[in-house]
Amino acid sequence: MDKEYDYIKGLTSEEKRIFVECFCCMVYSDKKVVKEEIDFLKSIGKMYGIEEKEIVSILQNLNKATIMDKAGSITDRKKALHLVKELCFLANSDTGLEDDEIDFIIDIAERMNVESDKIKQINKWVLDKIVLLKTGNIILEAE
């Protein structure tokens, strides 16, 4: 597992499920689902130990208010920042941030007491990383 995801080891099984539920809710927040988002859910589900059939069940029974409340139970700052980071990656995996996605990230972050300036910092870092990864793929002729 990539060192970037070492934080997952420190999550409880309930926190892992909350993360994945937030990802699923984010996928549907802009009312558009693209292949990259589905691929992300499948790969991230494996990383968090959540089976595909469970992800399907989560997607079929989404309740945004309940998921928001569950996210509020994440009080560890580092875990909260990682969740915001992952949501920013997911939101930027398609053509860019939509208003509904931004609103969802802000709502989740507020529930976990993450400041708006911190959200902006994280999102900028995520965008920079995406650009660097794409540039690397071009340089290495992988694209």
Side-chain angles (χ1 to χ4, degrees), residues 19 21-30 37 40 64 67-68 71-72 80-94 96-124 126-127 130:
F19 271 56
E21 287 177 353
C22 287
F23 302 148
C24 290
C25 198
M26 169 66 93
V27 164
Y28 285 105
S29 69
D30 65 355
E37 291 172 325
F40 176 85
K64 185 177 176 180
I67 291 169
M68 293 278 187
L81 295 177
H82 279 290
L83 178 54
V84 171
K85 174 195 72 163
E86 298 299 350
L87 290 171
C88 287
F89 267 115
L90 180 55
N92 286 291
S93 69
D94 51 11
L97 281 172
E98 300 287 333
D99 288 342
D100 290 338
E101 293 171 327
I102 294 168
D103 291 343
F104 182 77
I105 293 170
I106 290 169
D107 290 344
I108 290 287
E110 284 177 352
R111 297 284 177 115
M112 299 183 299
N113 297 313
V114 175
E115 311 80 19
S116 61
D117 284 345
K118 186 57 81 172
I119 300 167
K120 290 175 189 173
Q121 287 177 332
I122 292 170
N123 192 59
K124 181 177 180 340
V126 164
L127 289 170
I130 289 170

